[in-house]
Amino acid sequence: MAGDGSVLGLVGSPNREGRTYQMVTAALEGASRAGARVELIQMADHVVEACKDCLPWECQTTRKCAYPDAAFEHLSVKLLHCGAVVLGTPIYWWDTTGMVKYLILKMFRVYARSAPLAGLPAVGIGIAGGTGNGLVSGLRPVYHFFQMLQMRALEPLPVTRFNWGAARVRAGELGAALAAMTGARQPFAGVEERLLWYDGLPYLGLTRAAERRLLADLTTTALPGNADQAIPRGLAQADALAARGEHLRALQEVTRAYEAGVKVFEGGQG
Ligand SMILES: Cc1cc2nc3c(=O)[nH]c(=O)nc-3n(C[C@H](O)[C@H](O)[C@H](O)COP(=O)(O)O)c2cc1C
């Protein structure tokens, strides 16, 4: 199916003007500046019901949920017809929100086999707006969705309170990149090409320890130049320990640097 050339932004948060809304809006503004038509949908207005596992598996052939679900009908039709999608989720407990997960699971059930979204350009944004934990793990279900539906996903955007400004800029750039891709979907030649494409995306393959190191990095790079020099020294020490195979001590050092960074950040915010 060819898309309609628009960039669709889905806000997977109950907060209508929260951080997810702001970051998805930044991506759509980038797409709009690049000449695309854009549409933003608050998923809170269309909360998909849990898949009830129709048996026999009729939705696979009818391509329609076997049970009445106006929210799924609305969102799936929008996805089927758009030219590109930005899916933003707040991070809840290092994972996506329930409303995002329910959409994903029902999309799998109805469309994973027929793959009508093959080649659809997509970007996932995860907003870990509290501690910042889960900034990558919460994006994995979103990118698993893109992969299973055979979409052509660009790099994920992990967002925390600490890298907010840089992330907004990147969201706009990714929105512009999506705008340039809305003309024609580019399906993968085969499953192997798709697997390698997804393996090539940044962040998603990080270990838990590397994710924490990334969080420490994002938390500390935005600090003012006169912030405590013990923080970068601590991170350098952590990397040296990790290089020597002392992973537990390294991670403890990362945590100390992260916590010191948060303290400075919150002091600066207050
Ligand atoms: C149930 C729940 C779980 C949360 N879990 C996390 C978390 O694991 N990591 C994190 O950094 N923030 C967490 N948060 C904070 C949200 O990510 C943060 O408030 C974010 O700004 C929400 O996006 P929104 O403003 O669009 O609602 C959680 C919030 C809630 C309500």
Side-chain angles (χ1 to χ4, degrees):
M1 183 183 293
D4 66 5
S6 66
V7 178
L8 175 66
L10 297 178
V11 176
S13 167
N15 296 317
R16 304 186 67 82
E17 296 180 359
R19 291 190 171 100
T20 310
Y21 165 79
Q22 292 169 43
M23 206 46 79
V24 170
T25 298
L28 293 186
E29 282 170 359
S32 182
R33 280 194 298 273
R37 272 184 299 112
V38 299
E39 179 177 10
L40 183 140
I41 294 183
Q42 299 274 2
M43 290 180 66
D45 293 336
H46 307 277
V47 178
V48 170
E49 289 182 26
C51 173
K52 295 190 180 72
D53 184 11
C54 57
L55 290 170
W57 188 358
E58 68 176 80
C59 65
Q60 175 181 207
T61 36
T62 62
R63 299 198 195 180
K64 204 175 152 46
C65 183
Y67 299 90
D69 187 343
F72 180 69
E73 188 68 23
H74 184 75
L75 294 180
S76 59
V77 166
K78 290 288 181 188
L79 279 164
L80 289 172
H81 291 98
C82 71
V85 63
V86 178
L87 175 49
T89 181
I91 305 302
Y92 280 8
W93 300 111
W94 304 35
D95 205 336
T96 66
T97 53
M99 69 178 84
V100 168
K101 193 64 79 64
Y102 276 5
L103 169 68
I104 289 175
L105 292 176
K106 202 169 270 195
M107 287 296 290
F108 285 160
R109 178 78 174 167
V110 179
Y111 296 116
R113 288 280 165 81
S114 53
L117 300 183
L120 179 71
V123 163
I125 304 178
I127 293 95
T131 58
N133 285 309
L135 74 165
V136 170
S137 61
L139 271 166
R140 283 200 190 97
V142 172
Y143 274 72
H144 183 58
F145 167 54
F146 294 160
Q147 180 197 319
M148 294 301 284
L149 272 287
Q150 305 181 24
M151 300 185 208
R152 179 73 67 171
L154 304 183
E155 67 176 65
L157 182 56
V159 183
T160 69
R161 292 183 284 145
F162 317 112
N163 69 327
W164 186 256
R168 272 186 71 96
V169 172
R170 190 68 194 130
E173 291 167 356
L174 288 168
L178 286 179
M181 296 170 72
T182 54
R185 293 184 183 176
Q186 298 169 40
F188 296 98
V191 65
E192 297 81 7
E193 191 189 321
R194 178 161 44 107
L195 295 180
L196 290 174
W197 175 276
Y198 278 87
D199 272 354
L201 294 177
Y203 307 120
L204 300 170
L206 292 185
T207 61
R208 290 166 177 78
E211 179 172 344
R212 193 158 186 76
R213 178 68 180 79
L214 171 68
L215 173 59
D217 216 24
L218 296 183
T219 308
T220 54
T221 46
L223 295 179
N226 60 356
D228 188 355
Q229 285 310 303
I231 296 173
R233 270 203 309 275
L235 286 176
Q237 163 82 347
D239 292 341
L241 287 165
R244 292 206 300 268
E246 295 189 50
H247 296 294
L248 180 59
R249 284 186 60 207
L251 203 46
Q252 288 164 340
E253 205 57 62
V254 167
T255 297
R256 265 192 288 279
Y258 157 74
E259 285 173 350
V262 172
K263 223 164 157 181
V264 176
F265 179 88
E266 288 179 341
Q269 293 286 301

